[in-house]
Every structure is written in structure tokens, then in C-alpha cells.
Amino acid sequence: MVHTLERLELAAPLGKRLVVLGDPISHSLSPAMHNAALAEMARQWPEFADWRYEAVHVPAVDLPRALPLLYKAGVAGINLTIPHKVQALGIIEEVDALSSRMGAVNTLVRTATGYRGTNTDGYGILKAIDESFQRTPAGADVWIFGAGGASRGIIVACLEAGADRVTVLNRSVARLEELEAVLVGGRVPGLEKVRFHSLQEAPVDAGEAAIFINATALGLKITDPSPVDAVYLKPGSVVYDTTYGCSNRLAEDCQEAGIAYSDGIPMLVWQGVRSLEIWSGKSVPAGAMRRAVDTELKRRKEDG
């Protein structure tokens, strides 16, 4: 069930409500994976038995209205997805240092007076790359396609992990300039290692064993073109795609080129693990989350 602000009938008691906001949001796997983790946690800690995580459809124009309403409704934790990760910075009461550097938040925590924002995307991408490829950005040549809210966390995480160089490519030059200004304003350490280029003038000097990350929405539909030109797909490199849910053109190109590829499920799970750790203050069963995601994707495929 997807809620709206006009019809907000959350199942959990006040203070035990968790939600994800986005537009669109009906495709989200987050409720399935978080509720599976909460059910397993409740076996060890009974206080989580009546916690629930639910989806709320919130268009961008409604976010300033949504957050105070959800606070009044006793929502303890909020995840933000497209298109809210950047806009929320100007609405919430407090932002931690990490999110300030990134210029985006994806996790909100209820405080005595409002919401405090943090970002678990960086944690998620590092865990996902390690899980998928047994690799780390340390010393690597990292290429990021996209300049939206997700790319901000990924850039900072890769720099903090010790990437040798980070190249950011995006179709819109204005978005690139906005992203660069945010990172400069956040005084991100290592920013001198980052290059910003439009796709129209993209360099092709990727190093051996480069890490390519798709942080665009291209790939959510099977008909989407690949955001990563085939010229980059060379032996030894790896491709991490933050989209998930279908076999897309990028996955097919990687298979044809013999390049290691992973979709966005590991990042989805690990950023979710970290969010639930923050809200609950307990260790979170990542395995339960992953199994729930796999089960839900299989169900959707069978349903057509």
C-alpha cells in the first residue's frame, strides 16, 4: 500500500513509524526489506514488534508540507529518494557534517524539535562495490555518470575511500556546475581529484581496472538506452549500476563485453541497513533484507 499526504493511515503506533518518500514510489522495495528486518529484530528485541515501514507518495512541490505533517504524525524516521534528497536540505532543522559535504540527505531522524538529516548512500555504495567485485575505490580511477542527489554521496564516499581520480559525467552542464559548487561549498577533502565533464565532451582516458558507476535513472526501464558508452567497457573494469528491477541495456552491454556488472540491489540493501541502524540503535540483519528484496522481485516478475 502506498500512502498519500491526504490519506495517511500509517499502521504503527506513534514514534514507531518509518516511511520512505518519493515520486514515483510505488516501485520501491524498501518497505519489504525494512519490514523483514524489523520482524527478525523483534525476535530478539520485542519492542520492534509493532514498528512498521511504509511508502508515501510525495511530489517535490509537496515536500515542504510533508515533513511537518509527518513529524506531527509521529514518524520516527524517513528515507528520501528521487526527487527529495537535495530539496530536503533547505527544509529540515539540522544537517550533519557528512550530509553538508555531500549536499544531499537520504535519511531523517526525528529529534525533540524537528528532523536531523544524514546520508547513508556513501556507506551503501562502498559496501556494494566490495560485495559485488571485492574491490574498493582506494587508488582506483572512478567514473560516475549522473549529477543528481545520489551522485553527491557517491563522489564524497569514493574520495574519502582514497580514489585516485573521480570523473563525473552528465548531460546537463548546469547540473554539473551546480554539483561542483555544492561540493566546493562543502569543502570536500580531495576535490582536486574530481573532473566534471558534459557527456558531449566526455574524455575517454579511463585507466585500467576503472570503476564505472551509473548514478542516473537510465536503466529503470528495459527500453532505456545505456548511460555508459561502450568505449569505456574494457577488460579489467567493473560497472556498478544503481538502478535495479530489470535487465537493461547497460547490463547487456557488459555481458557482451565480458565486464563484471552489478545492479543496484546491494547498495539499496546496505544503505537501508545503515538507516535502520541509525533509527533503531541496534544491529540490523542484512541477510533478511536481501532475502526480502529477492522474494519481492521474483513475485513482481511472476505477476508480470
Side-chain angles (χ1 to χ4, degrees):
M1 176 181 180
V2 175
H3 299 271
T4 65
L5 296 180
E6 288 67 35
R7 191 167 183 175
L8 193 64
E9 300 173 352
L10 301 176
L14 294 177
K16 298 185 177 183
R17 296 171 170 176
L18 306 173
V19 301
V20 58
L21 313 182
D23 181 25
I25 198 62
S26 59
H27 70 287
S28 178
L29 296 169
S30 292
M33 72 177 192
H34 279 276
N35 287 323
L38 287 166
E40 186 162 316
M41 291 166 67
R43 298 189 186 102
Q44 182 173 359
W45 301 293
E47 63 266 31
F48 293 109
D50 53 358
W51 284 50
R52 294 292 182 275
Y53 185 109
E54 301 181 78
V56 185
H57 177 236
V58 177
V61 68
D62 290 332
L63 189 63
R65 177 169 69 96
L67 295 182
L69 190 155
L70 293 168
Y71 185 86
K72 186 176 180 180
V75 174
I78 299 174
N79 275 147
L80 302 171
T81 186
I82 295 172
H84 302 313
K85 295 183 180 184
V86 176
Q87 183 187 4
L89 287 171
I91 303 173
I92 59 178
E93 183 174 87
E94 181 184 350
V95 180
D96 68 6
L98 175 64
S99 300
S100 293
R101 291 196 299 274
M102 293 179 172
V105 292
N106 78 329
T107 302
L108 306 184
V109 182
R110 183 185 176 90
T111 70
T113 54
Y115 285 111
R116 179 179 72 253
T118 189
N119 196 307
T120 66
D121 281 339
Y123 176 86
I125 191 65
L126 296 181
K127 293 285 289 186
I129 290 173
D130 178 50
E131 176 185 313
S132 302
F133 311 118
Q134 296 74 56
R135 294 275 303 272
T136 169
D141 186 20
V142 180
W143 293 63
I144 299 170
F145 293 77
S151 66
R152 298 180 180 203
I154 293 170
I155 292 167
V156 172
C158 288
L159 288 174
E160 292 186 344
D164 185 59
R165 182 178 70 174
V166 176
T167 302
V168 184
L169 304 177
N170 193 64
R171 188 173 305 279
S172 167
V173 175
R175 291 292 296 275
L176 279 172
E177 292 175 345
E178 176 188 348
L179 173 59
E180 184 174 9
V182 167
L183 296 176
V184 169
R187 299 181 180 180
V188 174
L191 196 55
E192 68 278 359
K193 298 180 180 180
V194 183
R195 307 184 298 175
F196 299 89
H197 289 279
S198 68
L199 284 173
Q200 295 84 350
E201 299 177 352
V204 291
D205 58 343
E208 292 185 5
I211 297 173
F212 297 99
I213 301 172
N214 173 32
T216 76
L218 288 176
L220 288 173
K221 296 181 292 186
I222 197 168
T223 55
D224 285 341
S226 173
V228 181
D229 194 287
V231 70
Y232 296 111
L233 303 180
K234 299 177 181 178
S237 61
V238 298
V239 174
Y240 191 84
D241 186 353
T242 62
T243 72
Y244 58 84
C246 72
S247 178
N248 56 36
R249 185 64 209 176
L250 177 54
E252 293 172 357
D253 286 350
C254 288
Q255 184 175 14
E256 291 173 6
I259 302 299
Y261 168 91
S262 175
D263 70 7
I265 294 299
M267 181 179 175
L268 173 73
V269 170
W270 285 111
Q271 64 80 25
V273 167
R274 184 67 190 124
S275 291
L276 191 50
E277 286 176 347
I278 291 169
W279 295 322
S280 68
K282 304 291 186 181
S283 60
V284 172
M289 283 192 165
R290 182 57 189 258
R291 289 190 295 273
V293 167
D294 291 343
T295 298
E296 179 61 15
L297 283 175
K298 181 179 179 181
R299 184 193 66 79
R300 293 181 186 185
K301 186 176 180 180
E302 291 173 347
D303 289 348

